Amino acid sequence: MNLILCDTKILIEVYRDNHAVTNTVKQIGQANIAVSDVTCAELMYGARNKTELKIFRKDLDTLTVLPVMPEISKMAVMLVEQYCLSHKLALPDALIAATSIYHQLDLYTLNIKDFIFIPEVKLFQL
């Protein structure tokens, strides 16, 4: 299996022990999971305490983390310009979408409505 880009909600649901998401993540395999720097920042921002923050950092260090490169930034700005008024595309989602497009990775998300309108984003399905 190729790398699959997971958005923040997927990781949150793994921590919440959502069995459907956890089983899908297991099927994908840890070695095949990638996340954006944006997902790392969002996850850590949501930490409730230092212990949780440490757990997040330790777990993120086991995944492929894709940095926001200038090309991704530029693409995200274009996506925001194109979709902010019509679909309320938020900057973090635009950066994640641009990462998916740039690296040609399927995006695993539970927030399909946040990405479905971007034709270049290929949503992950088992």
Side-chain angles (χ1 to χ4, degrees), residues 5-10 36 38-39 42 76 79-80 83 87-101 105-124:
L5 184 66
C6 292
D7 77 352
T8 311
K9 181 71 170 164
I10 296 302
S36 165
V38 174
T39 295
E42 286 184 319
L79 289 171
V80 168
Y83 296 111
H87 293 86
K88 302 292 184 218
L89 180 63
L91 181 57
D93 290 340
L95 286 162
I96 291 169
T99 301
S100 169
I101 295 165
L105 300 176
D106 289 3
L107 175 62
Y108 181 29
T109 181
L110 297 178
N111 299 324
I112 293 170
K113 66 176 177 41
D114 294 339
F115 301 97
I116 193 80
F117 54 87
I118 305 170
E120 300 88 359
V121 173
K122 192 171 172 203
L123 297 174
F124 172 76

Side-chain angles (χ1 to χ4, degrees), residues 28-42:
I28 293 169
Q30 185 173 334
N32 298 318
I33 297 213
V35 294
S36 165
D37 270 341
V38 174
T39 295
C40 295
E42 286 184 319

Side-chain angles (χ1 to χ4, degrees), residues 1 23-24 27-28 124-126:
M1 182 176 283
N23 288 338
T24 300
Q27 285 183 300
I28 293 169
F124 172 76
Q125 297 177 347
L126 265 182

